C-alpha cells in the first residue's frame, strides 16, 4: 500500500474548477461591459443583461463546488447541491471504474454516493491518484475501527 496522505486532505477537480471560474468571471465581465456600452438600452434592459451574466456565473460557481474532504473523523462529500458527512466505517468501497464521470462511494446502507469532487474530466491521472488515495484512507480507517 502506498503512503497515506496527511489528514485533513481535500480532493477537488482543480483544473476543471479553474476553467469554470475563469470562464464565468470573463463572461460576466464581457456581458456587463456590453450592457454598459450599448447606448440604446434602458436601465431595465441593462439590469437584465447583468442579471443574466450573474446567473450564468452562479451556475458555473455551482459546477465548481464539488469536493471531497477527508478528515480523522470521516469524509465530507460536497456535490452540486448537497453536502453529506460520513464516518469512515460507513464507506464500504471507493470506486472509479473506466467510463465513470466521478468516484462513487459504496456505503454500508447499500446505497452508492457520487463523490463529484474526484472526476477524471480534464485531469484523468490526478483523479485516479486521488481515488486511490481516498480508497487507501478508507481501507486504513475502516480497519482501525
Amino acid at each position: 500500500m502506498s503512503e497515506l496522505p496527511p489528514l485533513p486532505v481535500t480532493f477537488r477537480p482543480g483544473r476543471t474548477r479553474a476553467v469554470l471560474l475563469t470562464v464565468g468571471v470573463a463572461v460576466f465581465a464581457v456581458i456587463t461591459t456590453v450592457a454598459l456600452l450599448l447606448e440604446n438600452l434602458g436601465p431595465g434592459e441593462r439590469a437584465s443583461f447583468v442579471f443574466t451574466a450573474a446567473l450564468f456565473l452562479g451556475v458555473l460557481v455551482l459546477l465548481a463546488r464539488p469536493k471531497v474532504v477527508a478528515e480523522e473523523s470521516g469524509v465530507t462529500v460536497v456535490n452540486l447541491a448537497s453536502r453529506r458527512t460520513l464516518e469512515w466505517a460507513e464507506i464500504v468501497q471507493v470506486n472509479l471504474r473506466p467510463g465513470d464521470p466521478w468516484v462513487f462511494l459504496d456505503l454500508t446502507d447499500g446505497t452508492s454516493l457520487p463523490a463529484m469532487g474526484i472526476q477524471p474530466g480534464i485531469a484523468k491521472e490526478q483523479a485516479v491518484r486521488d481515488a486511490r488515495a481516498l480508497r487507501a484512507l478508507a481501507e486504513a480507517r475502516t480497519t482501525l475501527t
Side-chain angles (χ1 to χ4, degrees):
M1 183 160 68
S2 63
E3 185 176 320
L4 297 176
L7 296 178
V9 62
T10 300
F11 303 105
R12 66 173 19 144
R15 289 185 198 164
T16 301
R17 180 178 167 84
V19 168
L20 289 170
L21 295 176
T22 302
V23 167
V25 169
V27 168
F28 178 82
V30 168
I31 291 175
T32 301
T33 302
V34 167
L36 296 174
L37 293 177
L38 289 176
E39 297 173 5
N40 295 334
L41 294 181
E45 292 168 319
R46 288 182 204 277
S48 70
F49 267 73
V50 174
F51 176 76
T52 301
L55 188 62
F56 182 75
L57 175 60
V59 168
L60 293 184
V61 167
L62 188 65
L63 290 172
R65 182 176 184 247
K67 65 181 176 180
V68 177
V69 180
E71 301 172 307
E72 288 294 336
S73 59
V75 175
T76 300
V77 177
V78 179
N79 287 330
L80 296 179
S82 66
R83 170 188 219 101
R84 184 164 174 195
T85 301
L86 305 164
E87 293 181 14
W88 287 109
E90 293 180 78
I91 301 172
V92 175
Q93 190 170 9
V94 177
N95 294 309
L96 180 59
R97 296 174 289 267
D100 280 350
W102 40 71
V103 162
F104 289 91
L105 304 177
D106 292 338
L107 306 178
T108 55
D109 66 3
T111 62
S112 183
L113 176 68
M116 297 173 72
I118 303 175
Q119 51 184 268
I122 296 175
K124 184 176 181 178
E125 296 80 20
Q126 183 64 45
V128 169
R129 283 193 301 271
D130 290 349
R132 286 181 179 151
L134 184 59
R135 181 180 300 128
L137 284 167
E139 289 171 357
R141 296 289 185 259
T142 302
T143 58
L144 294 176
T145 57

